Amino acid sequence: MSIAVPLSAEDMVVQATDDASPTKWHLAHTSWFFESFVLSAHLADYEIFDPAFNYCFNSYYELLGERQPRAKRGLLTRPSIEQVLAYRKHVDAALERLFATGFPRGFDQARLVEIGINHEQQHQELMLTDIVALFAANPLRPAYRAPTPRPRDGELPEINWIDVPAGLYRVGHEWSGFAWDNESPRHSVFIHKYRLADRLVANAHWIEFILDGGYRNPTLWQSDGWATVQRESWIAPLYWERRDSEWMSMTLEGLQPVDPAAPVMHVSYYEADAFARWAGARLPTEFEWEVAAAGDDNSQGRLNPAHGESGTLAGLRQIYDVAWQWTASAYLPYPSYRQPDGALGEYNGKFMVGQHVLRGGSFATPLGHTRATYRNFFYPHQRWQFVGVRLASEAV
Amino acid sequence: MSIAVPLSAEDMVVQATDDASPTKWHLAHTSWFFESFVLSAHLADYEIFDPAFNYCFNSYYELLGERQPRAKRGLLTRPSIEQVLAYRKHVDAALERLFATGFPRGFDQARLVEIGINHEQQHQELMLTDIVALFAANPLRPAYRAPTPRPRDGELPEINWIDVPAGLYRVGHEWSGFAWDNESPRHSVFIHKYRLADRLVANAHWIEFILDGGYRNPTLWQSDGWATVQRESWIAPLYWERRDSEWMSMTLEGLQPVDPAAPVMHVSYYEADAFARWAGARLPTEFEWEVAAAGDDNSQGRLNPAHGESGTLAGLRQIYDVAWQWTASAYLPYPSYRQPDGALGEYNGKFMVGQHVLRGGSFATPLGHTRATYRNFFYPHQRWQFVGVRLASEAV
Amino acid sequence: MSIAVPLSAEDMVVQATDDASPTKWHLAHTSWFFESFVLSAHLADYEIFDPAFNYCFNSYYELLGERQPRAKRGLLTRPSIEQVLAYRKHVDAALERLFATGFPRGFDQARLVEIGINHEQQHQELMLTDIVALFAANPLRPAYRAPTPRPRDGELPEINWIDVPAGLYRVGHEWSGFAWDNESPRHSVFIHKYRLADRLVANAHWIEFILDGGYRNPTLWQSDGWATVQRESWIAPLYWERRDSEWMSMTLEGLQPVDPAAPVMHVSYYEADAFARWAGARLPTEFEWEVAAAGDDNSQGRLNPAHGESGTLAGLRQIYDVAWQWTASAYLPYPSYRQPDGALGEYNGKFMVGQHVLRGGSFATPLGHTRATYRNFFYPHQRWQFVGVRLASEAV
Amino acid sequence: MSIAVPLSAEDMVVQATDDASPTKWHLAHTSWFFESFVLSAHLADYEIFDPAFNYCFNSYYELLGERQPRAKRGLLTRPSIEQVLAYRKHVDAALERLFATGFPRGFDQARLVEIGINHEQQHQELMLTDIVALFAANPLRPAYRAPTPRPRDGELPEINWIDVPAGLYRVGHEWSGFAWDNESPRHSVFIHKYRLADRLVANAHWIEFILDGGYRNPTLWQSDGWATVQRESWIAPLYWERRDSEWMSMTLEGLQPVDPAAPVMHVSYYEADAFARWAGARLPTEFEWEVAAAGDDNSQGRLNPAHGESGTLAGLRQIYDVAWQWTASAYLPYPSYRQPDGALGEYNGKFMVGQHVLRGGSFATPLGHTRATYRNFFYPHQRWQFVGVRLASEAV
């Protein structure tokens, strides 16, 4: 909720694009999620706040009934933000009553609550991405928050390459601590030797790519990517615009000059892939990324326990705290993956075609939310998230 | 402004459809109109409230510069409703200063103010049509205002036919009192004898049309209309829905049972035309409508001076106060019509292709705004306005 | 059929655009028309050639059953061109048998045959317009026929204005000789005094319009026209292309230099209207055009009997033999117009919304097919027909 | 060319859908491929047949210049089929001259010829798939060839499961004999134990799926698949239609009753995946498929040398000769994959996003064209190819 503080009721109701959702909708949907998946089934005396809300705030769960079409979430001027806040209170109070019961049915109940919390964390980040989308579409280019005075780095840090040997590695999550269903089962995978960039591609690199005609040279692009570049007239990352021959970019701090030393953000998979080809490199697979982030003990099965960089390969930077990183891997189920039963099976399990995996986390990801095995996923053309690029290449 | 009272800030910022505009946008645009067409040029010391507002609130005047795309008016969460209200105060205060000058430059200045007032009156009606559109798209089907208890007419009033003789009539406005440029010049037109229905088609008639397969019978429809029926799956007027085998309709009072005795509303030209064919009648031309509404003195050139029914042909009802009425006439310029100079020429003069004329006025039209010569116009597929049907036929 | 001689079977089967039809389809459809409207009902022993052809070659008659979607006429590689030619023979032979009966049922039968012949004449012109469309879409820009060596006029003929006085005129057809239902009934119309250009706008004028920024100046255009210019990136008439800084245009003779002295063709209503505004003129209404073409005896009711210019106002040129001419009139029914009964009612009567009337005829119109009362009609954005521009203006 | 024998010139010029190409285009494109990749560079005195053909028949090679848009290949009525056949003769004669030189530059030249031949083989299958598409869109439902009298199997053969142990396998091609660039490099992959169906899913199974509401149950589908089912109103495989309560299907033999015992064809990835879920199984990965098809010596690196089933796992049927088989694998580059230099790099290397791998071959694949390492690829919604379904599941 503190995320919504700088926003007016007007800011919270409007939907910037079909991909984005209104802040109010996020606020209501996360409570609806607790209501539908936890409280209705697990709190004996729970009373549904308003039966009409299921239609309004169900995102995409076919098993939970009809719902407001995704592209029309921004039409919900009613229920009002006040009603939604009351809804959140109602749900929070019920959750506290549930906590007081001590989860008599044990693991399953606790896991559902944990899922609800992690679900809400995801939406915390989405609220911020969607606010940037909204304010970027506004001719006044408003700022969500005041810019922190930041020394612009005089020097562009060099990218160093970390070598990783070939071998049979264990990847995926082993169910100690929370993880999503799509991170399991933990399993073996053979990985060829490779090199991974220690840091993300910077804006300065991207400007070089632009100046070298990257957006005009079809041979750098996958066919679908090139078609998108042409159709959408892409000439730079999303939110970039020229003002007086300087590149500016829309951010939470409003329209700001592009900082050459900062990692590039708001690029699609198509662009990340084309950039990598231009740079003589490639994108890492999700397992190349995971093995490096999880650290050298990975072969013995120890996972990097939490948000943090202990255990990762020496020198690896900007893993979880700057921008999600496109991988070369399509988002597909792991061997022996089983969709959870019921509507929760729809959470991650019905998006396993046509999307690519992103790894890491962004500056907007809640602390403690992410880990080495975490699999984020988006369509290759999407770029409104806080997404950047880490390169890989064949080992020499 | 009183129109906005029942609305929250959220209700006022959202755009229901590409055709509709947000209430806040209407409120700002009408003040922008005064600022751009009256104050900037005619009040010596006028200070533009905020130069960025021209982009935000210019509707379609190419001569006044770039503007927010029509379909994206609902993204303007900023400027806030408070800023827009301040804008309106600023403009109103300046207008009062201008009034105090007594219009030194005479007619032209006064006419511009009059245009601004009539423009705002148009938007008063549009605000209401657009609020219905917004609330109709909301699964909660909210009401803008409480329903007035209304006796449902037990009997369906019969339609009577008024005969009008052939002759050379004068139509159009002669510039006594306010009128839009598209109502002029007043000119002669030869009209064949005809009959005009004394009242509008009622919901009961429309239900008969539906029951008789009106929406499934291509021979009743113009080719474009039939294509639209199929593509859009039309089976009834806009806002009608079946609940428990009763027709309900979305109104300013929320979802209400369709009153059989009340005039049908929210039908397109295509539907009006198909209905007329089904009924063995046709739609009147705009001049057939005007001659009847203006009254029998029309041939001597006396126009019905204002909103009211004095002077109209005896027995003619529901002229200005229920629903606009589709006519068979395409919206085209009158002989010797001259577009006003400058951006005002764009007001009515650039929409003269592909639309049809509506005559009359609706329950939502401000009192005194309309007259016998008034020409409203919409595309033949549009039906979110308060629009109904009056029949005509050949005289027997 | 002689129209098809220069074409291969391949040329005849392909559909250039959704608006155009394949030559083979035209050939089959015109015979289908005779079969469906004349032979089936009026020749006792007539045998349907192939029952499947009704689906294939019915154009748009809802009363005659389902049909191949318009945009998919080009998929009909079967029936083959040989089968279609056999179909034409079969129908022609049956028509001769019918003629031999001497039309026992009199007028109605004769009129149906006449309709079939006039229908076929329309398609003769359409075949040519559609072949240009096909060859213009071919990167080889083939020629349908060899260019006739033509002296390029050294001088651009001046446009002279013909003045016509105001008055009550009779317009429309009075049923002596063949006419379409939409030309009737003949009726009175009051026309204000006006001036009509004696000849069509020439390519040289159009190039001037282009050079003066006509396609980049929104104030010249109707709103829908400007939107089309932007969306379609129009910068010149259809089929015009720049080669080595010269304007070339696709014609039946292949890609040819644009002749400055020749009338402009392949412009939409939007362009014709914008050009007229740029030129300080306007388009004539359909009745202004008709009165001038029908001649000064018009007020007494004598119509120009046939294709030819006798009887027209002195000096009027390029009436029927160069290019159809856009008028300012929307295509609407005449007072007391009655759609013919049955499927023939669909011929002209269901297109009376959203289109504009064109008058005259083109170099490709069969001799004797057109007349002063003839009403052709197309949508305002369409420009693949042989269509040009005649200006009108207010009398001084 | 023999493939084209049953076709008329009309059949050969028309394009059924955006995905399909005309037969004539296939015939010309395959010769253009030899001309552009082999003859121009490797036959000293080669003369380009017609410089305009590069525009007409370049499919998608950006490095070879502008080209006819894919969706408009069917507009090329010129060059005629006769010219295209002359083109093929010209190219064939030149190839023979090149063969006579004995490939002085060795491997590279021979490989280019081999690529040209394999490219042409691919188009031989595509010609057949595209002819079915064309004839299926024709209301006459023509047959490409006479049906061979075929005993309809009384019994539906049972599906048996073949167990494959976990292990580190070698997959991909090792460059003995011809293979495409995307089959390399040969590399190690760890595969978990699994079971593979010995034969393809039959029509009888699919009808059961339909009867069980498979196309109406969203929980069986990936989200994108379900959206497609709804948008496209899918209720059965492509080309299936109900006639008198029997399922018929369009085939090369025209419209034929669906044979319950025959493998299902013309299903998308979405459908294959949903069916597998309904059946309690899943689709195999491309490596699970390859390992089984290549046989038990695979771990030692011996690849199944050619089209044939020797070496494959005992009992595996319908591998290369019935229908291509969707796999669960996205089409992505192998580790250390390098796009070939020049325009050939575009052949397979620019489609590596958004598509899925198919393995095997179909009844229409030329003999000897396919092999265990062969990677075919299509978008998950595409189903006009000869594509079927083989199931896999976790080992028990």
Side-chain angles (χ1 to χ4, degrees), chain C residues 6-7 9-11 13-16 24 52 55-56 68 74-82 134-135 137-140 142, chain D residues 6-7 9-11 13-16 24 52 55-56 68 74-82 134-135 137-140 142:
Chain C
L7 301 176
E10 299 180 59
D11 294 331
V13 70
V14 166
Q15 180 169 24
K24 183 174 78 175
Y55 184 93
C56 296
Q68 181 78 351
L75 296 182
L76 296 172
T77 62
R78 317 284 178 96
S80 68
I81 181 66
E82 289 79 18
L134 178 65
F135 284 180
N138 190 306
L140 308 181
Chain D
L7 301 175
E10 299 180 58
D11 294 332
V13 71
V14 166
Q15 179 170 24
K24 184 175 77 175
Y55 185 93
C56 296
Q68 180 77 351
L75 297 182
L76 297 171
T77 63
R78 315 284 177 95
S80 70
I81 182 66
E82 289 79 18
L134 178 65
F135 285 0
N138 190 306
L140 308 181

Side-chain angles (χ1 to χ4, degrees), chain C residues 210-287:
Chain C
I210 294 174
L211 289 174
D212 196 39
Y215 282 93
R216 297 190 309 273
N217 179 358
T219 65
L220 296 173
W221 297 78
Q222 287 288 302
S223 181
D224 286 358
W226 182 242
T228 307
V229 165
Q230 308 258 84
R231 192 180 56 245
E232 306 289 333
S233 305
W234 285 355
I235 57 165
L238 183 64
Y239 301 144
W240 284 35
E241 50 188 291
R242 295 287 274 187
R243 297 254 167 133
D244 304 326
S245 78
E246 190 186 13
W247 280 114
M248 308 286 285
S249 174
M250 191 61 190
T251 69
L252 287 170
E253 291 83 27
L255 193 64
Q256 295 292 332
V258 167
D259 176 358
V264 72
M265 283 211 291
H266 299 301
V267 294
S268 63
Y269 174 83
Y270 296 138
E271 288 162 289
D273 173 78
F275 177 90
R277 194 166 290 113
W278 172 80
R282 61 172 174 83
L283 300 179
T285 67
E286 60 171 324
F287 299 134

Side-chain angles (χ1 to χ4, degrees), chain D residues 181-255:
Chain D
D181 53 272
N182 62 6
E183 302 171 49
S184 293
R186 185 158 170 83
H187 63 285
S188 295
V189 66
F190 184 80
I191 301 179
H192 300 79
K193 65 178 175 170
Y194 66 100
R195 326 186 74 179
L196 193 66
D198 69 334
R199 53 173 66 240
L200 305 189
V201 168
N203 288 321
H205 303 130
W206 207 271
I207 289 169
E208 224 181 307
F209 173 68
I210 294 173
L211 290 173
D212 196 38
Y215 283 92
R216 297 190 309 273
N217 180 357
T219 65
L220 296 173
W221 297 77
Q222 287 288 302
S223 181
D224 286 358
W226 182 242
T228 307
V229 165
Q230 309 258 87
R231 191 180 56 246
E232 307 288 333
S233 304
W234 285 354
I235 58 165
L238 183 64
Y239 301 143
W240 286 35
E241 50 188 290
R242 296 288 275 186
R243 296 254 166 133
D244 304 326
S245 78
E246 190 187 11
W247 281 114
M248 307 286 285
S249 174
M250 190 64 188
T251 69
L252 287 169
E253 291 83 28
L255 194 63

